[in-house]
Amino acid sequence: MSRSNARQSLPTHEVTNQPPERGDVDLWTSDPVLRDCATRAGARATPLAAYGAALGRAETRDAGHDANLHPPELCLFDRGGRRLDEVRFHPAYHHVMDLSQSAGYASLAWDGEPGGHATHVAMVYLASQVEPGHCCPLTMTYAAVPALATNPELAEIWRPKLTADTYDPAPRPIREKRSATLGMAMTEKQGGSDVRANTTTATRDGDAWRLRGHKWFCSAPMSDGFLTLAQAPGGLTCFLVPRWLEGERNAIHLMRLKDKLGNRANASSEVEFHDALAYQLGDEGAGVRTIIEMVHHTRLDTAMAPAGLMRAALSEAHHWVSHRSAFQRRLIDQPLMRAVLADLVLDWEGALTLGLRVARAFDGDTAEDRAFARIGVALAKFLSNKRCPVVAVEAMEVLGGMGYVDDTPMPMIYREAPLNGIWEGSGNVICLDILRSLARDPLAAQTVQAELDAATGADRRYDAALKAHRDRWPTLPPEAEARWFAEATAHLLTAALLLRHAPGAVADGYIATRVLGESGRVPGSVSGLDTDALLGRLSG
């Protein structure tokens, strides 16, 4: 039954002062900031417009809610006791997977047309607003393509399936499928991020290998294959492990599904390889160098997803305050509420702007583009993910008690907010990577400095802050200051982009509060923001 038929006159009271259902909300046309940033990054408007409209339909948002309400189930055996090692999902999950894979989420970056990575990452931003869990397998499928290029024979079989614009969840060998997804199984109990401490072994078996060992985290265990690391005689090596073999299931045993804080529509598991068949990718002993291409591209998605989560949280909060009154005034008209939301807008717009600038570098073909992509994605990932939980909890608080109830999407957004900061390198790992990149690659440092210098002369406060930053760190900082350095550099980089491309109210507010620190440490502890202009960024 349509929500519009819900009864408003109840036996004990009349339902008033409650925001109406949002209905269909076109996520592309209702977001002018996205459209501007996407155009500047060279993204393709046509597929984004279609995807944003489809995601924003009420029925799609309902499917996203149902996919989280009914999480995946682990099915280890059939009723006769034969091993299945399958993960089964609610139909709502398959609905959003089909929508996104058919839209080109995992494939557009590799079709040879301009702006592929920017278009892809804009889709990440859009999908994260509705159901972020299903992004995990599709992001890894997108990111695995360059790693597969190290083995042309495997790439010939797998790449067409990974880049197909169709969804095929059937448990069948790769040659029998219309499309495929890839997962990742890297970390182990004893090492975590230190993958060189992995103990899984690889033993030669003709042209293939046999893997034996465990993986503490296997992302998306229902995928058709996995990239993993194991110790071969020549050292840590990267392998492709197919989920299904011709006529049998590969010896990948799912031990349990992780009971996670969020990302509940997506399955994450512990697995064991019991002499599982695998194929080598890259040179023996060069496993980290091979799989880092996949990690590099997944980091782009983890840098953009928090911008989508922030947008979703702010959209819900803005809808609420626009239709609810307290103390004889609409909430949206109350100065303190406007200050809080306007302050949060700066984090969202900054994250979106920086993320799509980095995506443009992924699409570039020069040495400078590649260098900026390496350092820029780490800076964006660090800063945007540190701000995302703050924005989520403040937006939740705007709704009061309803924000804490799963009738609204706010709890899902809040539970999701920490994930991308943990995945593909938590904060300390990312900051150390930033220092290593700047130390090893002079061109990376030069590209960042060029972006920062491009905005000089537009605002004396920015110029002074940039000089102070360089005076504070004339060389790379000591390790203990890596977070401070990364945060300050990312804020300056974001401010430089906003100065060049955003309205004056956005750049001015960002410099005052994020670069100069003319604010308190909690959102809304600000003065002098142009709240009309900033809140207008939410609604166009």
Side-chain angles (χ1 to χ4, degrees), residues 118-394:
T119 308
H120 160 77
V121 86
M123 286 188 168
V124 174
Y125 168 83
L126 290 167
S128 297
Q129 297 178 47
V130 177
E131 203 303 289
H134 82 292
C135 295
C136 179
L138 294 178
T139 282
M140 290 186 294
T141 300
Y142 148 78
V145 171
L148 282 172
T150 60
N151 188 321
E153 292 182 1
L154 285 178
E156 184 178 359
I157 298 169
W158 283 83
R159 178 172 172 141
K161 310 290 185 176
L162 300 179
T163 57
D165 293 341
T166 185
Y167 177 53
D168 182 359
R172 289 195 293 263
I174 185 67
R175 295 182 187 276
E176 299 177 15
K177 299 198 63 171
R178 293 174 292 124
S179 67
T181 58
L182 269 186
M184 183 190 297
M186 287 176 59
T187 59
E188 297 180 6
K189 294 170 184 164
Q190 71 282 351
S193 295
D194 182 9
V195 294
R196 295 186 187 277
N198 283 7
T199 61
T200 296
T201 59
T203 304
R204 177 72 75 173
D205 183 2
D207 293 334
W209 297 78
R210 294 286 176 176
L211 304 190
R212 176 168 285 269
H214 85 285
K215 295 295 174 181
W216 186 226
F217 275 92
C218 174
S219 298
M222 66 292 182
S223 299
D224 297 288
F226 309 95
L227 294 194
T228 194
L229 298 172
Q231 299 287 354
L236 193 66
T237 303
C238 183
F239 295 94
L240 170 64
V241 187
R243 189 77 180 82
W244 319 103
L245 305 178
E246 300 294 336
E248 63 176 325
R249 295 163 189 258
N250 206 356
I252 306 170
H253 289 183
L254 306 186
M255 307 311 292
R256 64 168 174 160
L257 298 186
K258 299 288 192 180
D259 188 7
K260 299 170 293 183
L261 168 68
N263 204 248
R264 300 189 70 85
N266 172 52
S268 301
S269 68
E270 297 172 34
V271 301
E272 289 185 357
F273 299 137
H274 293 181
D275 296 326
L277 188 72
Y279 300 97
Q280 183 177 330
L281 289 175
D283 294 334
E284 189 173 342
V288 173
R289 187 168 69 245
T290 302
I291 208 167
I292 202 68
E293 277 298 312
M294 183 176 189
V295 173
H296 180 54
H297 286 82
T298 55
R299 279 187 179 175
L300 177 62
D301 288 20
T302 60
M304 180 54 77
L309 293 171
M310 286 188 267
R311 169 68 185 185
L314 286 171
S315 295
E316 289 294 328
H318 189 258
H319 177 72
W320 180 269
V321 300
S322 298
H323 294 92
R324 187 162 171 84
S325 298
F327 310 111
Q328 292 78 53
R329 285 188 299 174
R330 283 195 316 160
L331 291 175
I332 191 63
D333 297 327
Q334 302 194 23
L336 187 54
M337 180 63 75
R338 296 178 68 80
V340 171
L341 290 177
D343 196 12
L344 299 179
V345 164
L346 296 172
D347 287 316
W348 155 62
E349 184 156 352
L352 178 56
T353 301
L354 180 56
L356 275 164
R357 169 62 186 94
V358 172
R360 188 179 65 163
F362 272 69
D363 280 316
D365 56 10
T366 68
E368 289 79 9
D369 287 325
R370 291 189 293 273
F372 184 75
R374 286 192 296 273
I375 188 66
V377 75
L379 289 165
K381 172 175 161 46
F382 179 70
L383 180 60
S384 297
N385 281 293
K386 291 305 176 189
R387 299 307 303 164
C388 184
V390 177
V391 173
V393 74
E394 286 291 344

Side-chain angles (χ1 to χ4, degrees), residues 390-411:
V390 177
V391 173
V393 74
E394 286 291 344
M396 175 186 287
E397 189 175 316
V398 166
L399 273 66
M402 278 307 300
Y404 205 65
V405 176
D406 270 312
D407 288 348
T408 77
M410 302 305 287

